[in-house]
Amino acid sequence: MLGSLARALRLSDSDRDLIFRLAGSEPPGIGRIPMTVRPSVMRLLDRLAGLPALVLSAKSDVLAWNPPAAALFGDWSAQPPERRNLIRQRFLGGGPDRVVETGDQAGAADCVGCLRTAQARYPRDPSLAALVDELRSGSTQFDELWRSGRSGRLRSRTASVAHPELGVLTLDCDVLSVPEADQTVIVYSSATGTATASALELLRRTGRV
């Protein structure tokens, strides 16, 4: 009933949560990482038709992607939802097999710090706990970085993506925040006139995956 009232009044998430608490109830989904992408963010993804873009959850699950991202990284929909996670892919593999993203030690530490930050926000999220357990048991590097206790966040950086037909593409990777949903939009690009920019344009035109 409270949820129906909040929807009828078109309340913001914070006002909805306040109504639940005033009524002595726990707000819906509290303690769980938001996994639903807002329609407005999906529209933004559609507008970024010329650049690969992903929407990530607070623990780096790939929640949505546009056609250029599918052409660059492969078909995420062919992977089970629990394997559509960039941090899991980085340390354990298991993402789209034909593309491997590489990075330096600082980038690896940022990924682990991102999960520590998510754990502080969502200590009761079972999928986050399962992911951390899997990473700690499956990757010595992840476990060592996890035990360092460092928090962090995903940062804009340069990323290298190895494509089976186009070779290694060096891309600017920009992180755009969607704070209300605790999600991020990752956009990959390259300066005009570079070989990587030409490769991205080829992927956009052919849509090859």
Side-chain angles (χ1 to χ4, degrees):
M1 184 181 70
L2 291 173
S4 298
L5 176 62
R7 287 190 295 271
L9 295 175
R10 299 183 179 180
L11 298 179
S12 66
D13 291 347
S14 57
D15 288 339
R16 177 206 62 192
D17 292 350
L18 177 60
I19 283 182
F20 271 82
R21 291 191 177 98
L22 289 175
S25 299
E26 188 175 78
I30 192 167
R32 300 291 184 96
I33 292 175
M35 300 292 283
T36 301
V37 181
R38 295 183 172 200
S40 58
V41 176
M42 293 301 298
R43 289 195 295 270
L44 174 63
L45 207 62
D46 290 338
R47 291 287 185 178
L48 293 170
L51 296 173
L54 308 170
V55 181
L56 304 184
S57 73
K59 61 184 176 74
S60 293
D61 300 298
V62 179
L63 302 178
W65 56 93
N66 63 4
L72 177 64
F73 288 103
D75 186 9
W76 283 102
S77 65
Q79 301 292 322
E82 64 273 11
R83 291 181 179 269
R84 299 176 198 167
N85 184 283
L86 291 188
I87 298 177
R88 187 187 188 282
Q89 178 187 355
R90 181 179 190 127
F91 290 98
L92 301 180
D97 292 335
R98 65 184 194 78
V99 177
V100 178
E101 186 175 1
T102 61
D104 56 16
Q105 181 69 10
D110 283 340
C111 287
V112 178
C114 174
L115 287 188
R116 273 218 170 269
T117 299
Q119 187 187 59
R121 292 177 179 168
Y122 307 98
R124 291 181 288 171
D125 188 287
S127 64
L128 173 58
L131 175 63
V132 171
D133 288 345
E134 182 183 18
L135 287 166
R136 294 193 67 184
S137 62
S139 169
T140 301
Q141 181 190 23
F142 180 91
D143 186 58
E144 290 175 352
L145 290 169
W146 183 263
R147 285 188 282 107
S148 72
R150 171 187 168 185
S151 62
R153 59 182 176 83
L154 296 181
R155 301 173 186 273
S156 298
R157 68 192 192 283
T158 299
S160 296
V161 179
H163 191 280
E165 297 176 1
L166 301 176
V168 177
L169 307 179
T170 301
L171 298 158
D172 292 326
C173 173
D174 287 293
V175 180
L176 312 177
S177 177
V178 186
E180 294 82 2
D182 202 4
Q183 294 171 359
T184 52
V185 179
I186 311 296
V187 183
Y188 297 86
S189 66
S190 185
T192 302
T194 62
T196 296
S198 298
L200 289 179
E201 178 62 16
L202 178 62
L203 287 174
R204 185 187 71 81
R205 289 181 179 274
T206 63
R208 297 183 68 174
V209 297

